Amino acid sequence: MLALLLSLVYGFLASAPAVRALGSACSTPLSSGTAAPTDPYWMQNIKHQGSSAFNSDPSSYTVFRNVKDFGAVGDGVTDDTDAINSAITTGDRCGNGTCASSTLTPAVVYFPQGTYLVSAPLNLTYFTQMIGDAKVPPTLLASANFTGLAVIDADPYLTGGANWYNTTNNFYRAVRNFVIDLTETPASASSTGIHWQVSQATSLHNVVFEMSTANDTAHQGIFMENGSGGMMGDLVFNGGKYGMWLGNQQFTVRNVTLNNCQTAIYMAWNWGWTFQGITINGCQIGFDVITGGLANAAQTAGAMAIIDASASDTPIFYRTSEASNGTLAGSVVLNNVVLNNVPTAIAVLNDANAVLAGGSMTINSWGQGNVYSGTGGSGTFTAGDITNPSKAGSLMAGDKIFGRPLPQYEDYAVEQFVSVKDQGAKGDGSTDDTAALQAVFDKYAGCAIIYFDAGTYVVTNTLQIPAGTQMVGEVWASIMGSGSAFEDQSNPLPVVQVGTPGSSGIMEISNIVFTTKGPTAGAIVIEWNVNSPSQGGAAMWDSYIRLGGAAGTDLQASQCSDVQSVGAPSCFAAFLGLHLTPNSNAYIEGTWVWLADHDLDDAAQSSVTIYSGRGILSESAGPVWMIGTAEHHVLYQYNLAGAQNHYIGVMQTESPYYQPLPMPPTPFSINDTYKDPSLPIDLTAAWGLYIQSSTDITVFGAGLYSFYQNNDQTCLSTTICQTQILNIDSSSTGISLYSLSTVGAINQLSFGGLPVIAASINVDGIQNTVTAWTQ
């Protein structure tokens, strides 16, 4: 049912009118898919020639693994555990607690239609995508004698309690298109669908969890006790003691339905989570939230934002473990929450008096915590109605923020895809593929889905992706900018140009990594120009900008481990990560713009000191939907300059660890052409978010963090890692911030370059939290 719903939503969007320039080999545009109903998903039969460019033996290493080729049967009777785990681990892959991370052994583990009986966890090693047939998602059926933490385990525990991976560096994992069925296990067993202790560059899409509805059920869909993320969406939970049991620094969750769970969502701790588009039906409790911990050593839920949610036939929508009692503990924002037969909207455990009575009603905008407005530095503790954000109509689908699922092209035939390797690109990490890739786009954009086989594709000049393009990568195929064209910061050039300036049409990019091979001080990694006339038609999902810290970048620990002070020219990674130009619009979901702080392919996980000038610059007039992060860039992580009509869900940023040596903008220079912000004399680290001359910007969830000075964390003990971290200029209007959490900053918000809100009055665990700030 979920797969059908997603395909209908996508089909509507794909059929929307759009202006596109067809490639030279095209006579008609690509419209609907031509796969027969009985055909398997295209991914099963497309030619599999992906490679790992920097693997020690790329010619023999296998990227794509069909579990049936490893002996899995999928008949619901045969125990397929060992066969599936063999498909995951074959090839000396990174796991078992002996490897912290690696980009050298990527894998797609593919499941054809069927029911796969498993009796022990499927351990998801580093840099793995586990993908089921999107037309008829396969079922992972836990056997009656299932033993282990979870059916899918992304961070297994070793004997003694350590994990395979560092919980905040557990990147590059994806699971999509499955039914996970726990109903054969005893109801009283603590059976779990997915142990999802992960961090950035991870995603869950199109997964249904089936659990017991017995009174004594101990089943749970997702268990996440630690980590630093991230995004997940398009999930359904049926039954169970807990639909989702959560504890993680920050995440955005979009489009999740929970039916007949005892507790739909349990939140043990966080610094800031945003839930967008949550539907709760027939549960006992919607959200059960642990609160009250205001000290670092007693971290509980710091900030919750719940928007566009509904609950029906559920006694309590939202419950905290401790009463706020007029303090910040338990910050929550509810926006556009529709209740139907929900007697209590907000409750406190063991307290018969409701904080907010329920019934059948709509909560327009309600908050609990410290609320601010304008330039006033004194917040008001509020447990009641708060100012509703100004949401541009272009951002909305009816009365809700628009959202769009990851396209999977489930109705398309293999013949409707064009492989870049079949067209002459090598993807070997050394051959210049610029001309070959450009030829593919010039010939096939608009009439075929362009398939990037796994590999690293070097480009030495700007690669232009025309409006009308639909492209998908195999296990995060990489496009790598390299060479003299990208070395001059006084003359920056795009590595990839998404649409030419002024172009109009659809754009779909998924499962691609954009990167550079240093030195590339003049590289604008992605310049986004395309403007789609259909809502959300220009979009990117599960695609990441990764700068340095990986094999082949020449920006690893061996080259850039101890660079300090003025900055070594050889360790320049980029001028700018992502630039949304003024006439563009974009739907961007699950995009992480990361300047590496450590080397993913170094066994010791050694730190690196490399330089990228800027994270995300948006000058777009919108609409823009942005669920992503930008970390460690020199001047800023997000800069909204002349931007309009933006929705941002959980932006998470970190200032460079090496600052203030050198202080920003060193080793770059202020560039007015690219709207670089001013830097107050007391600011010795990068801006997390800078908003200038912008209108109608709504942020639901922001984690702006500063953990270091000169690669040392002593500053955290006094919360003086930097003086300011977020600024809004006086020419901006209609700015609304909800669930703003900061770490290590003396001041949480500045207006016109002058501090307004001091962090010391909003202590909320390790972080400081502003529940709401509006103009």
Side-chain angles (χ1 to χ4, degrees), residues 306-343:
I306 303 168
I307 63 174
D308 298 339
S310 65
S312 299
D313 303 321
T314 297
I316 300 172
F317 176 69
Y318 189 96
R319 185 177 75 179
T320 62
S321 62
E322 301 287 341
S324 180
N325 292 326
T327 69
L328 182 57
S331 174
V332 60
V333 172
L334 309 181
N335 186 260
N336 188 33
V337 174
V338 178
L339 306 181
N340 179 35
N341 189 28
V342 177

Side-chain angles (χ1 to χ4, degrees), residues 250-558:
Q250 65 282 310
F251 243 86
T252 302
V253 178
R254 185 193 57 74
N255 188 31
V256 171
T257 299
L258 304 109
N259 301 312
N260 303 311
C261 310
Q262 291 184 1
T263 296
I265 296 170
Y266 179 91
M267 179 61 71
W269 72 275
N270 68 49
W271 298 350
W273 274 57
T274 294
F275 295 86
Q276 176 189 346
I278 308 300
T279 302
I280 298 169
N281 297 312
C283 299
Q284 294 303 304
I285 298 175
F287 290 82
D288 203 9
V289 183
I290 303 301
T291 57
L294 293 177
N296 291 6
Q299 183 76 50
T300 54
M304 300 277 284
I306 303 168
I307 63 174
D308 298 339
S310 65
S312 299
D313 303 321
T314 297
I316 300 172
F317 176 69
Y318 189 96
R319 185 177 75 179
T320 62
S321 62
E322 301 287 341
S324 180
N325 292 326
T327 69
L328 182 57
S331 174
V332 60
V333 172
L334 309 181
N335 186 260
N336 188 33
V337 174
V338 178
L339 306 181
N340 179 35
N341 189 28
V342 177
T344 302
I346 310 289
V348 177
L349 181 66
N350 297 324
D351 189 338
N353 298 313
V355 176
L356 179 66
S360 294
M361 58 188 289
T362 297
I363 303 171
N364 292 317
S365 192
W366 190 96
Q368 178 173 274
N370 295 341
V371 175
Y372 297 80
S373 64
T375 58
S378 298
T380 300
F381 175 81
T382 300
D385 293 341
I386 59 176
T387 302
N388 212 15
S390 173
K391 302 174 187 173
S394 59
L395 293 169
M396 307 299 288
D399 65 345
K400 298 181 179 180
I401 296 286
F402 172 83
R404 186 178 172 194
L406 168 78
Q408 301 202 60
Y409 309 111
E410 53 266 37
D411 296 326
Y412 288 76
V414 171
E415 294 75 22
Q416 294 180 284
F417 292 77
V418 169
S419 157
V420 296
K421 286 195 173 182
D422 279 349
Q423 298 299 310
K426 300 299 182 184
D428 59 11
S430 58
T431 302
D432 186 348
D433 282 324
T434 313
L437 293 179
Q438 195 61 64
V440 175
F441 287 115
D442 292 346
K443 288 177 65 176
Y444 294 106
C447 65
I449 298 167
I450 295 172
Y451 180 65
F452 273 73
D453 315 82
T456 299
Y457 299 85
V458 174
V459 297
T460 58
N461 216 321
T462 300
L463 179 65
Q464 294 182 335
I465 302 177
T469 295
Q470 295 164 286
M471 59 185 279
V472 58
E474 180 182 35
V475 70
W476 300 297
S478 297
I479 298 174
M480 174 182 279
S482 175
S484 59
F486 306 120
E487 290 183 7
D488 185 2
Q489 70 163 293
S490 66
N491 183 33
L493 290 176
V495 175
V496 174
Q497 196 175 56
V498 178
T500 56
S503 63
S504 179
I506 67 165
M507 179 66 64
E508 294 174 356
I509 299 173
S510 59
N511 288 284
I512 301 286
V513 165
F514 301 91
T515 186
T516 59
K517 180 177 182 177
T520 42
I524 300 171
V525 184
I526 300 176
E527 179 186 278
W528 189 282
N529 297 302
V530 65
N531 183 300
S532 176
S534 59
Q535 190 178 40
M540 181 163 66
W541 299 260
D542 284 17
S543 294
Y544 312 118
I545 295 174
R546 184 186 67 219
L547 300 172
T553 64
D554 286 353
L555 298 164
Q556 293 184 264
S558 58

Side-chain angles (χ1 to χ4, degrees), residues 141-164:
L141 177 63
S143 66
N145 62 342
F146 182 89
T147 302
L149 181 55
V151 172
I152 299 174
D153 196 341
D155 197 6
Y157 282 90
L158 297 164
T159 302
N163 290 103
W164 280 17

Side-chain angles (χ1 to χ4, degrees), residues 209-278:
F209 299 81
E210 298 289 353
M211 296 170 281
S212 168
T213 56
N215 290 335
D216 65 343
T217 181
H219 293 180
Q220 54 190 0
I222 291 175
F223 175 57
M224 174 193 282
E225 73 277 39
N226 212 328
S228 171
M231 187 272 158
M232 66 179 81
D234 307 314
L235 310 174
V236 174
F237 300 84
N238 295 316
K241 182 176 182 179
Y242 302 107
M244 306 171 75
W245 196 108
L246 305 172
N248 184 289
Q249 290 176 9
Q250 65 282 310
F251 243 86
T252 302
V253 178
R254 185 193 57 74
N255 188 31
V256 171
T257 299
L258 304 109
N259 301 312
N260 303 311
C261 310
Q262 291 184 1
T263 296
I265 296 170
Y266 179 91
M267 179 61 71
W269 72 275
N270 68 49
W271 298 350
W273 274 57
T274 294
F275 295 86
Q276 176 189 346
I278 308 300

Side-chain angles (χ1 to χ4, degrees), residues 22-350:
L22 293 178
S24 61
C26 305
S27 56
T28 57
L30 185 70
S31 55
S32 59
T34 61
T38 56
D39 287 347
Y41 184 41
W42 63 266
M43 189 177 288
Q44 183 168 325
N45 290 338
I46 200 168
K47 185 191 296 185
H48 299 299
Q49 53 191 341
S51 61
S52 176
F54 304 109
N55 187 279
S56 60
D57 189 3
S59 62
S60 64
Y61 178 79
T62 301
V63 172
F64 183 87
R65 298 109 184 274
N66 185 322
V67 296
K68 289 196 171 182
D69 292 338
F70 289 78
V73 179
D75 61 2
V77 177
T78 305
D79 189 334
D80 287 325
T81 309
D82 290 343
I84 295 169
N85 276 326
S86 178
I88 295 171
T89 59
T90 295
D92 193 26
R93 304 199 61 227
C94 179
N96 295 305
T98 62
C99 168
S101 63
S102 174
T103 67
L104 302 178
T105 55
V108 174
V109 181
Y110 177 76
F111 292 70
Q113 299 173 17
T115 298
Y116 298 85
L117 185 71
V118 296
S119 57
L122 307 177
N123 294 323
L124 202 59
T125 50
Y126 204 91
F127 221 107
T128 299
Q129 293 184 349
M130 181 182 283
I131 301 175
D133 185 307
K135 297 179 71 175
V136 181
T139 295
L140 302 178
L141 177 63
S143 66
N145 62 342
F146 182 89
T147 302
L149 181 55
V151 172
I152 299 174
D153 196 341
D155 197 6
Y157 282 90
L158 297 164
T159 302
N163 290 103
W164 280 17
Y165 308 106
N166 182 316
T167 59
T168 57
N169 291 325
N170 197 11
F171 310 143
Y172 298 105
R173 225 64 55 81
V175 175
R176 56 182 178 267
N177 310 328
F178 289 98
V179 176
I180 299 178
D181 191 340
L182 306 177
T183 58
E184 294 295 313
T185 69
S188 58
S190 298
S191 302
T192 298
I194 297 179
H195 176 219
W196 200 238
Q197 184 170 251
V198 295
S199 38
Q200 289 85 354
T202 61
S203 66
L204 299 176
H205 289 286
N206 194 20
V207 182
V208 176
F209 299 81
E210 298 289 353
M211 296 170 281
S212 168
T213 56
N215 290 335
D216 65 343
T217 181
H219 293 180
Q220 54 190 0
I222 291 175
F223 175 57
M224 174 193 282
E225 73 277 39
N226 212 328
S228 171
M231 187 272 158
M232 66 179 81
D234 307 314
L235 310 174
V236 174
F237 300 84
N238 295 316
K241 182 176 182 179
Y242 302 107
M244 306 171 75
W245 196 108
L246 305 172
N248 184 289
Q249 290 176 9
Q250 65 282 310
F251 243 86
T252 302
V253 178
R254 185 193 57 74
N255 188 31
V256 171
T257 299
L258 304 109
N259 301 312
N260 303 311
C261 310
Q262 291 184 1
T263 296
I265 296 170
Y266 179 91
M267 179 61 71
W269 72 275
N270 68 49
W271 298 350
W273 274 57
T274 294
F275 295 86
Q276 176 189 346
I278 308 300
T279 302
I280 298 169
N281 297 312
C283 299
Q284 294 303 304
I285 298 175
F287 290 82
D288 203 9
V289 183
I290 303 301
T291 57
L294 293 177
N296 291 6
Q299 183 76 50
T300 54
M304 300 277 284
I306 303 168
I307 63 174
D308 298 339
S310 65
S312 299
D313 303 321
T314 297
I316 300 172
F317 176 69
Y318 189 96
R319 185 177 75 179
T320 62
S321 62
E322 301 287 341
S324 180
N325 292 326
T327 69
L328 182 57
S331 174
V332 60
V333 172
L334 309 181
N335 186 260
N336 188 33
V337 174
V338 178
L339 306 181
N340 179 35
N341 189 28
V342 177
T344 302
I346 310 289
V348 177
L349 181 66
N350 297 324

